Amino acid sequence: DAPFFEWLEAGGVERMLARDPASLIKSVEDSCRNKAEVVALDEKEGGVRATLNLGHTFGHAIETKSGYGSWLHGEAIGIGMHMAAAMSRDLGWIDDALYERARDLVRRANVPDRLPEDSPLDVASFEAIMAVDKKVADGELRLILLKGGLGECVFTGDYDRATLRKTLVDFCDAANRTPAGS
């Protein structure tokens, strides 16, 4: 939802964090309307409905390996959204400017965007957990990734596996953790 993203960028995220009633109402109404529109198109979650879960495959792996309760769901998904944006950029599906906008909005929401140095996650853990994700079909991991302009994403298994591995390495490797996609 490009207009909602732009509203968040234009100060909506800070107004929500400040618990501004009008901003909270707007965010809930817009989010519910957006979800209802998508669900109406895909009631059984066969395709487009999955796009509501940007970052969730990565985030669920974080929750699983770290132990439920170690992270709030939104914190793990914030990291997962950053990972999905970084992978999308590295695939050449979005430009640097859109990647930076997505990453910066996660940061402005005061949500983590990278794993802490004491994270139990490594590439092998991510791969093992993601291999049994509900988005796996016929042995192929499908991800929700950004592709195109603001508000555009895809639910696909058609991506370069080396880029997925690079994303996992970038976010897991202690030497690279701090700059993880920057």
Side-chain angles (χ1 to χ4, degrees), residues 1-3 5-6 54 88 92-95 97-99 101-102 145-154:
D1 184 354
F5 187 96
E6 290 169 337
L54 178 70
S88 299
W93 292 1
I94 62 170
D95 61 24
L98 183 52
Y99 161 75
R101 289 173 72 187
L145 298 168
L146 303 173
K147 190 170 189 177
L150 180 62
E152 298 176 23
C153 62
V154 293

Side-chain angles (χ1 to χ4, degrees), residues 80-111:
M81 289 170 59
H82 184 198
M83 294 175 79
M87 182 173 167
S88 299
R89 177 205 54 207
D90 292 346
L91 286 165
W93 292 1
I94 62 170
D95 61 24
D96 286 339
L98 183 52
Y99 161 75
E100 290 168 6
R101 289 173 72 187
R103 180 207 56 208
D104 291 348
L105 193 57
V106 170
R107 289 178 177 172
R108 285 174 53 199
N110 294 328
V111 175

Side-chain angles (χ1 to χ4, degrees), residues 16-29:
M16 287 174 27
L17 290 171
R19 305 286 192 254
D20 171 62
S23 296
L24 292 172
I25 289 168
K26 175 184 175 36
S27 67
V28 170
E29 286 177 345

Side-chain angles (χ1 to χ4, degrees), residues 2 6 10 35 54 64 88 95 124-125 127-128 131 136 144 148 160 171:
E6 290 169 337
K35 183 171 185 172
L54 178 70
T64 299
S88 299
D95 61 24
S125 297
E127 290 175 335
V136 171
I144 297 91
D160 178 53
F171 279 80

Side-chain angles (χ1 to χ4, degrees), residues 52-63:
L52 295 170
N53 295 318
L54 178 70
H56 278 68
T57 302
F58 295 112
H60 290 159
I62 293 166
E63 289 175 315

